[in-house]
Amino acid sequence: MQQKLQLINHGVPDEVIANLKNDLVEFFSQPLDAKKEYSQLPNNLEGYGQAFVVSDNQKLDWADMLYLQVCPTDSRDLRFWPNYPASFRHSIDAYSSETENIGLCLLQFMAKAVGVEPKSLLSVFEGQARGLRMNYYPPCLKADKVLGLSPHTDPGGLTLLLQVNDVQGLQINKDGKWFSVNALNGALIVNIGDTLEILSNGKFRSVEHRAVVHPSRERISAALFYYPCQDMVISPLPDFVKDGKVKYKTISYQDLLTEYFTAELDGRNRLKKMKLEP
Ligand code: OGA
Ligand code: NI
């Protein structure tokens, strides 16, 4: 089951979404020096900068980002939380608390839909960390020569993606072809990540996707990642291995995350290496 769905009527108040959107546009419109106050530090994933830079001779993605761990609240590293615009911290806080249950509800529905006890998935993600990656894609006159974000799968369980302005750019790969996703205004695009594919023994498939850029307009998006327990070892859950055939290797969640953030993005290949031979 490979899924990409858009959630509307999700219950996050319009105002919370509008505030986050406004503050993101405002934050990214600042001069570089102001944003650099929140720059990523070595060996730390959080902060402002460019994602997935691992060597000098790699072709870079046409994007900046601000990545923050938003939950649990006591794990927040406020050094990286911008204090301009003045309401930004509050906007992020409100958005992350309003979205807390959405992912957890979805996981339970998904388990139910395939005849698995909802608690099995819920217990992996409930109360665990969530990260918010805010992406800024500048316009590029040669938009067809660059990618905003190279093909990849997301590492966590679920991702909820909010498109911040009305410029489209998300594409998903299905059977080797790229399809554009027309993000509905205010919708949350739901994306299955690698952790969920492994936990579900392949019942749910992590979606390969990328972002393209626009020739004359900037594009902004915010991806909220639901992570499992940080010291978890990930392997297919017994509830999903009813016929006894385990299809994935075991990996510690930390290793999975490190591989994701420290290697060049490479479509579904990272995940393919996790598959046991048929
Ligand atoms: C991501 C992502 C797509 C987009 O942040 O993981 O896939 O449209 N973003 O910005
Ligand atoms: Ni992604």
Side-chain angles (χ1 to χ4, degrees):
M1 191 185 300
Q2 180 161 350
Q3 287 169 327
K4 189 94 185 184
L5 63 100
Q6 298 198 43
L7 211 58
I8 54 171
N9 299 327
H10 39 60
V12 181
D14 291 348
E15 196 194 347
V16 168
I17 291 190
N19 289 343
L20 180 69
K21 286 183 171 181
N22 287 339
D23 286 349
L24 274 170
V25 171
E26 189 74 20
F27 172 78
F28 282 116
S29 70
Q30 294 177 96
L32 188 60
D33 279 349
K35 293 181 278 194
K36 276 189 161 170
E37 281 190 35
Y38 307 98
S39 284
Q40 296 155 342
L41 298 172
N43 301 320
N44 190 326
L45 303 175
E46 293 192 74
Y48 173 78
Q50 272 207 301
F52 314 107
V53 182
V54 293
S55 79
D56 286 342
N57 43 24
Q58 133 195 26
K59 183 168 175 181
L60 294 179
D61 283 341
W62 197 262
D64 295 341
M65 64 155 197
L66 173 67
Y67 178 71
L68 300 175
Q69 175 143 331
V70 293
C71 283
T73 32
D74 61 8
S75 72
R76 292 178 180 177
D77 189 340
L78 293 179
R79 285 178 301 171
F80 300 109
W81 287 55
N83 46 30
Y84 180 87
S87 51
F88 199 13
R89 289 180 174 192
H90 174 73
S91 301
I92 296 173
D93 180 55
Y95 182 72
S96 63
S97 55
E98 290 290 348
T99 44
E100 166 139 36
N101 281 323
I102 297 178
L104 300 178
C105 279
L106 279 171
L107 286 163
Q108 293 177 82
F109 291 148
M110 288 166 67
K112 252 191 194 156
V114 297
V116 166
E117 173 61 42
K119 250 201 140 89
S120 66
L121 284 183
L122 182 65
S123 60
V124 173
F125 294 93
E126 198 170 24
Q128 301 304 333
R130 280 179 290 141
L132 186 63
R133 185 157 86 210
M134 296 153 274
N135 303 298
Y136 176 80
Y137 305 100
C140 178
L141 269 177
K142 300 204 162 151
D144 56 336
K145 298 276 193 297
V146 299
L147 279 174
L149 196 51
S150 296
H152 68 282
T153 53
D154 292 344
L158 286 180
T159 307
L160 298 183
L161 184 81
L162 176 71
Q163 189 162 276
V164 169
N165 59 355
D166 61 357
V167 180
Q168 305 286 350
L170 176 65
Q171 297 186 332
I172 61 168
N173 192 323
K174 192 167 186 311
D175 305 326
K177 287 204 196 90
W178 289 104
F179 294 90
S180 297
V181 175
N182 187 24
L184 305 171
N185 191 17
L188 296 171
I189 299 170
V190 182
N191 206 350
I192 289 166
D194 298 349
T195 300
L196 192 51
E197 174 162 338
I198 298 172
L199 291 173
S200 71
N201 204 27
K203 194 84 181 168
F204 304 119
R205 295 241 308 161
S206 148
V207 180
E208 182 179 2
H209 54 285
R210 67 180 188 181
V212 297
V213 299
H214 192 277
S216 59
R217 297 188 60 197
E218 65 185 22
R219 176 168 180 267
I220 301 176
S221 69
L224 181 70
F225 302 111
Y226 289 73
Y227 299 129
C229 178
Q230 301 291 293
D231 49 21
M232 185 175 185
V233 173
I234 307 215
S235 60
L237 295 170
D239 282 0
F240 285 91
V241 197
K242 297 209 172 103
D243 61 359
K245 231 176 147 192
V246 173
K247 296 186 190 145
Y248 294 80
K249 297 177 197 162
T250 296
I251 184 171
S252 83
Y253 183 65
Q254 283 308 320
D255 287 350
L256 187 137
L257 206 60
T258 306
E259 270 180 35
Y260 172 72
F261 276 104
T262 56
E264 264 184 80
L265 293 177
D266 191 17
R268 270 181 65 85
N269 286 332
R270 204 166 28 82
L271 191 60
K272 272 191 204 138
K273 289 187 207 132
M274 287 302 301
K275 278 215 151 166
L276 294 166
E277 297 305 320

